[in-house]
Amino acid sequence: MSGKNKKDSKNSGGTIALNKKARHDYFIEETYEAGIALQGWEVKSLRQGRANISEGYVVVKKNELFLFGSTITPLDVACSYVVCDPQRTRKLLLHEREISKLIGSTQRQGYTLIPLSLYWKGRHIKCEIALARGKKEYDKRDSIKQQDWQREKARIMKHSRR
């Protein structure tokens, strides 16, 4: 029997929140794994899966990255003397060279930083952020058409094997 506790195996590698809308609205150029600075009540809420990052975005201020617009709903049994702000700005933790590369890329026209997912990595919570370029309406229609064709092609191949 391995030396891991049940609690450790439950939290390792699990996805907490996904931004499904991001891949539909943006062309993803590069992805980065960033740590996230959280308070204690936020970690407890994330263990319960009470997070939404679909409206979130990443902003650069004074050579640091911050996550805006994401919501972590506090638990009902949160401590009474701690002020729980669900839409609090959270600092993202990356290496300095990665931050400088992202600053240079976002200053180019059309690039933005968006969160893709929150997940457990060991006992730490990580945020996957992406350097992305916005899609136009015709690009979105083209993506939907490609997905439909792939689905139809898979269906045809499945029936032809029978």
Side-chain angles (χ1 to χ4, degrees):
M1 192 168 163
S2 67
K4 283 189 169 185
N5 293 341
K6 260 187 173 179
K7 188 176 181 182
D8 292 339
S9 64
K10 180 180 83 170
N11 290 339
S12 61
T15 302
I16 300 166
L18 286 175
N19 188 355
K20 295 179 184 178
K21 201 173 165 187
R23 296 195 190 275
H24 176 63
D25 291 341
Y26 296 96
F27 291 113
I28 307 298
E29 302 292 328
E30 292 181 60
T31 60
Y32 295 90
E33 181 181 78
I36 185 167
L38 297 170
Q39 295 178 349
W41 67 268
E42 292 172 322
V43 176
K44 290 178 183 179
S45 294
L46 289 175
R47 283 195 179 120
Q48 298 295 317
R50 300 178 131 204
N52 181 8
I53 60 169
S54 61
E55 299 296 322
Y57 57 97
V58 179
V59 174
V60 179
K61 283 188 179 179
K62 297 181 183 176
N63 291 335
E64 293 180 333
L65 297 177
F66 293 95
L67 180 62
F68 280 93
S70 63
T71 305
I72 298 177
T73 309
L75 295 173
D76 297 334
V77 293
C79 189
S80 60
Y81 61 86
V82 175
V83 178
C84 300
D85 182 15
Q87 299 239 329
R88 180 177 83 80
T89 302
R90 294 161 184 95
K91 185 177 178 180
L92 295 175
L93 309 170
L94 282 167
H95 291 285
E96 193 173 329
R97 67 181 184 282
E98 290 177 326
I99 293 174
S100 62
K101 183 178 178 181
L102 290 174
I103 290 171
S105 297
T106 55
Q107 289 176 348
R108 286 188 276 168
Q109 185 178 1
Y111 283 94
T112 187
L113 291 170
I114 54 170
L116 293 178
S117 65
L118 282 176
Y119 56 93
W120 291 98
K121 187 172 183 183
R123 62 186 188 106
H124 300 286
I125 297 172
K126 300 291 182 175
C127 179
E128 184 180 20
I129 59 173
L131 182 65
R133 188 170 36 92
K135 284 185 181 178
K136 304 286 187 208
E137 199 62 38
Y138 56 85
D139 290 330
K140 293 178 188 178
R141 286 193 299 265
D142 188 44
S143 296
I144 292 170
K145 194 184 299 182
Q146 284 290 341
Q147 288 173 355
D148 288 343
W149 167 240
Q150 292 297 328
R151 203 174 302 127
E152 186 64 30
K153 189 167 61 171
R155 194 175 295 133
I156 290 169
M157 292 297 290
K158 183 179 177 181
H159 288 296
S160 67
R161 290 182 191 159
R162 289 183 180 178

